[in-house]
Amino acid sequence: MDDIKEKTDFIRDIIKQDLQKEAGKKIHTRFPPEPNGYLHIGHAKSICLNFGLAEEFNGRCNLRFDDTNPTKEESEYVKSIKTDIKWLGFDWGNNEYYASDYFEKLYELAVLLIKKGKAFVCDLSAEEIRNYRGTLTKPGRESPYRNRTIEENLQLFKEMRDGKYPNEAKVLRAKIDMSSPNINMRDPVMYRILHKKHHRTGNKWCIYPTYDWAHGQSDSIEDITYSICTLEFEDHRPLYDWFIEQLGIPHPRQIEFARLNLTHTVMSKRMLLELVEKKYVNGWDDPRMPTISGMRRRGYSPEAIRNFCSQIGVSKADSTVDMAFLEHIIREDLNKKAPRVMGVLNPVKVIIDNYPQDKEEELEAINNPEDPCSGTRKIPFSKILYIEKEDFMENPPSKFFRLTLGREVRLRYAYFIKCVDVIKDKNGEISEIHCTYDPLTKGGDAPDGRKVKSTLHWVSAKHCIQTEARLYDKLFMKENPLKTEGSRDFKNNLNPQSLIIVNDCKLEPSLKTAKAGNIYQFERLGYFCVDCDSNDKKIIFNRTARLKDEWVKIKASIKK
Ligand code: ATP
Ligand code: MG
């Protein structure tokens, strides 16, 4: 979709080889989220891969909700998942499926396995099953219920379905090999009893299939040709193959790839849910979250996320991508698109002593130097302005080139000003900086050719609008938040400074009409987008990214 260059990776190589062998073969992939949380950037990698392959090879990609566990799933998640995939720019057309739609079919297939003597009803408790399973070095022991007759198993399984037994009283297990070196093959559980309402099937079922039983068969039922999943399922592949071979149903090819890990965040839905439920963040779409909805609210574009997924590529080797790389991609995207404006986050008053009291001027400013078509706008100038507190120092070190007593600097798009005096309040804080301006430097250059060493951003006090800015930083302080000392929990690694709210941000008046989702570069400060919490009375800006790109530095240090 975005790429001029053809993508290559080991999965695309496999598919190309298959297509050479079998001309005209239709490729069919799927994205199978479990609706137990919001999608994150790791899911975006899988979405770009599965939907991307279908687009490139003229095939089809299903959206399948893997909704086999009624205890954790909610319709809210289904809705958010659909919104996020569409926003990323992908379309599943009519191919929206639910594993729960196959409950009847899966039940029939389970009955078929029982009839073949390949599955049995087991009365061991969950703990006993664990104890019987053995370890990597020790073979497991067979369940005492393993040799029930086919008739007895059929009868008991039907009774399980009919609700005759309480939760956990019995399970259905595959009958494979308790001494297999692969623990997944040691008579895995296929069905559990769970008297619980399901978000789609209601109270129709009180037995639910396990992921291992449902997943491969769902792929087969949908005629998936490439079942692409993350590496942790490599050890489950022999089991999926076994089921399909016993049942004699269509056989998708499973290919595993490395999941995306990112520094300074977590990607497990269980942990993300904990952050939401215990209010460490303000919901799934908090702009600090690695979720797609969080990134959208933060001001990331779908093109940038797709570009990120394309640049990190697909491989078999586990790795962790630096968050700075994602931010680098975001910045490149915003640099092209975001109009420039001036805003002051931490204001201090500047009074131009020799500027007439009531005079106002409109100065011309460039909207985006990266985009000549974006034109110019007018910004008002007057006697009293705001500049950034950090841009003035009374006793500056030698490398400080910004404003100080006696020094001349440029105000962007306006004039040269020179500081002549400062006034302090009773706490000793600077309350007013007095300057003079040179009318001949209008537009930003001196006719006599004299130079200044810095250019400051500013807004006119009389004209500016006051807003709230939310400054975001990394959610976790540690690169790997899961690395914790002793019994401490990953939440101990949360960054207490990950959100700083600034209430007194002053912005140029052109931003009065900014709408939720609009994104700007505040000159010298960073990229900011209008948050959906904004209303007619108050505009709130989220800092999407700082201007400084840390990735360039990190990349250089990696190369050394
Ligand atoms: P969790 O273990 O946190 O619940 P999950 O992997 O089980 O996450 P699913 O909803 O089952 O979440 O994932 C749907 C699809 O997205 C799966 O095919 C899975 O392989 C893929 N996926 C999930 N996380 C990542 C990741 N970090 N990188 C790449 N793909 C991922
Ligand atoms: Mg999963």
Side-chain angles (χ1 to χ4, degrees):
M1 176 188 293
D2 326 74
D3 295 281
I4 313 124
K5 197 166 90 220
E6 196 190 344
K7 287 183 198 148
T8 54
D9 53 57
F10 78 100
I11 297 182
R12 288 173 168 89
D13 288 345
I14 291 174
I15 295 178
K16 278 180 210 151
Q17 275 170 16
D18 286 357
L19 289 177
Q20 261 173 10
K21 275 185 249 156
E22 204 182 321
K25 176 181 163 135
K26 276 274 167 240
I27 88 140
H28 197 171
T29 57
R30 85 286 176 267
F31 174 64
E34 185 179 350
N36 62 349
Y38 281 57
L39 296 182
H40 54 58
I41 181 87
H43 293 115
K45 176 176 178 176
S46 177
I47 292 168
C48 289
L49 178 60
N50 281 297
F51 282 94
L53 289 173
E55 277 177 12
E56 280 163 58
F57 293 98
N58 200 14
R60 165 152 95 84
C61 180
N62 290 359
L63 168 61
R64 182 198 320 135
F65 290 98
D66 241 323
D67 57 350
T68 53
N69 182 351
T71 57
K72 294 197 218 147
E73 291 152 6
E74 286 177 34
S75 323
E76 176 200 344
Y77 297 136
V78 170
K79 202 170 143 218
S80 76
I81 289 170
K82 292 205 255 182
T83 304
D84 289 349
I85 299 175
K86 281 203 185 121
W87 179 77
L88 275 176
F90 296 103
D91 184 6
W92 55 90
N94 294 324
N95 304 309
E96 178 178 328
Y97 301 100
Y98 293 80
S100 56
D101 290 344
Y102 310 140
F103 281 171
E104 193 65 51
K105 178 79 190 167
L106 289 168
Y107 180 85
E108 284 167 21
L109 291 174
V111 167
L112 186 62
L113 269 195
I114 295 174
K115 285 185 178 160
K116 288 179 170 237
K118 300 289 182 183
F120 66 101
V121 174
C122 182
D123 299 6
L124 292 181
S125 69
E127 201 192 332
E128 285 167 326
I129 290 180
R130 241 192 327 276
N131 292 335
Y132 272 66
R133 191 181 292 140
T135 63
L136 279 175
T137 50
K138 218 175 84 203
R141 279 181 296 143
E142 292 187 351
S143 159
Y145 303 99
R146 200 175 197 261
N147 294 315
R148 279 178 163 153
T149 63
I150 289 174
E151 288 66 36
E152 194 183 357
N153 282 319
L154 286 171
Q155 163 97 20
L156 289 171
F157 188 47
K158 175 149 193 323
E159 289 173 358
M160 281 168 66
R161 173 183 183 162
D162 290 343
K164 195 166 167 198
Y165 306 109
N167 288 352
E168 292 169 39
K170 291 183 184 338
V171 293
L172 183 75
R173 297 175 70 177
K175 197 190 229 180
I176 311 180
D177 179 4
M178 286 310 287
S179 59
S180 169
N182 183 343
I183 293 182
N184 293 307
M185 302 297 274
R186 295 183 188 170
D187 295 3
V189 172
M190 295 166 59
Y191 276 92
R192 291 197 177 85
I193 301 174
L194 193 61
H195 292 269
K196 172 116 192 162
K197 196 171 165 191
H198 184 277
H199 78 123
R200 282 172 69 88
T201 57
N203 290 317
K204 181 166 182 218
W205 293 89
C206 62
I207 55 170
Y208 289 97
T210 57
Y211 183 86
D212 273 346
W213 165 243
H215 194 77
Q217 277 50 254
S218 302
D219 280 344
S220 179
I221 290 168
E222 289 175 20
D223 269 328
I224 300 299
T225 55
Y226 297 97
S227 172
I228 296 166
C229 60
T230 41
L231 285 177
E232 66 272 24
F233 291 102
E234 198 160 16
D235 289 346
H236 297 239
R237 179 159 25 105
L239 173 61
Y240 299 168
D241 288 346
W242 185 89
F243 280 137
I244 279 174
E245 277 153 27
Q246 299 303 319
L247 296 166
I249 54 177
H251 198 158
R253 174 161 182 183
Q254 176 170 314
I255 308 174
E256 304 87 12
F257 72 104
R259 62 170 48 232
L260 168 67
N261 301 302
L262 260 188
T263 62
H264 302 284
T265 193
V266 292
M267 219 96 87
S268 139
K269 280 188 279 184
R270 180 179 59 75
M271 289 177 187
L272 295 174
L273 177 66
E274 191 180 343
L275 295 179
V276 173
E277 283 186 334
K278 297 195 176 148
K279 303 210 179 328
Y280 288 94
V281 294
N282 303 313
W284 284 98
D285 69 344
D286 185 302
R288 290 167 290 180
M289 291 280 270
T291 51
I292 297 182
S293 48
M295 293 184 175
R296 174 166 64 234
R297 190 164 176 185
R298 175 112 174 214
Y300 291 13
S301 73
E303 300 82 44
I305 295 178
R306 288 201 308 264
N307 185 20
F308 169 74
C309 292
S310 150
Q311 301 244 3
I312 56 173
V314 176
S315 86
K316 274 254 181 214
D318 246 325
S319 69
T320 301
V321 175
D322 204 302
M323 185 66 96
F325 181 63
L326 172 62
E327 288 171 356
H328 165 75
I329 302 273
I330 300 302
R331 238 180 241 113
E332 274 191 338
D333 180 56
L334 295 175
N335 183 40
K336 283 182 243 141
K337 296 178 186 164
R340 274 53 170 171
V341 292
M342 289 203 283
V344 178
L345 282 181
N346 192 15
V348 61
K349 223 174 233 179
V350 167
I351 298 167
I352 317 276
D353 290 340
N354 60 339
Y355 196 85
Q357 188 69 35
D358 298 320
K359 185 170 171 176
E360 284 178 24
E361 284 181 86
E362 296 239 284
L363 303 172
E364 187 149 24
I366 294 168
N367 286 333
N368 186 351
E370 298 287 321
D371 175 9
C373 303
S374 67
T376 61
R377 71 188 182 287
K378 300 280 189 205
I379 37 177
F381 187 87
S382 63
K383 187 178 177 75
I384 305 176
L385 312 169
Y386 289 110
I387 65 164
E388 214 69 62
K389 256 185 201 152
E390 292 78 33
D391 282 339
F392 179 85
M393 271 183 103
E394 220 178 351
N395 301 301
S398 59
K399 287 270 162 63
F400 186 87
F401 299 117
R402 291 168 276 163
L403 197 60
T404 186
L405 263 171
R407 182 180 293 163
E408 193 171 48
V409 298
R410 176 189 295 110
L411 291 180
R412 180 92 157 135
Y413 300 122
Y415 296 100
F416 284 10
I417 57 165
K418 187 175 188 170
C419 176
V420 293
D421 195 12
V422 293
I423 293 177
K424 295 183 185 169
D425 62 16
K426 57 181 187 302
N427 303 319
E429 288 250 4
I430 294 173
S431 55
E432 289 179 6
I433 300 171
H434 284 260
C435 295
T436 56
Y437 87 116
D438 177 355
L440 297 178
T441 56
K442 184 166 179 175
D445 283 308
D448 62 3
R450 76 180 189 279
K451 299 279 181 237
V452 287
K453 283 203 168 146
S454 72
T455 301
L456 308 185
H457 61 272
W458 54 273
V459 294
S460 161
K462 192 170 27 177
H463 304 93
C464 69
I465 55 171
Q466 185 164 326
T467 63
E468 175 180 319
R470 298 177 180 170
L471 309 181
Y472 297 104
D473 205 340
K474 298 183 172 77
L475 185 53
F476 289 92
M477 293 175 295
K478 281 206 177 156
E479 264 193 26
N480 178 2
L482 303 186
K483 233 188 208 162
T484 50
E485 275 105 49
S487 60
R488 292 166 75 95
D489 169 291
F490 78 102
K491 298 192 292 305
N492 285 103
N493 289 327
L494 280 164
N495 175 8
Q497 311 269 16
S498 62
L499 168 60
I500 292 173
I501 298 181
V502 177
N503 279 310
D504 190 22
C505 175
K506 315 270 191 197
L507 303 179
E508 63 167 80
S510 72
L511 289 166
K512 257 180 211 152
T513 52
K515 298 273 172 307
N518 288 172
I519 192 147
Y520 303 89
Q521 185 193 99
F522 290 6
E523 292 209 21
R524 297 176 67 224
L525 296 176
Y527 296 99
F528 287 77
C529 83
V530 181
D531 189 79
C532 52
D533 278 352
S534 306
N535 55 40
D536 292 348
K537 291 194 186 75
K538 188 175 176 193
I539 304 183
I540 298 166
F541 279 90
N542 294 317
R543 184 172 66 198
T544 311
R546 290 192 172 88
L547 283 186
K548 212 171 104 212
D549 196 330
E550 289 164 39
W551 175 244
V552 181
K553 213 168 71 198
I554 294 170
K555 202 165 106 187
S557 75
I558 295 171
K559 275 196 177 149
K560 264 180 213 154

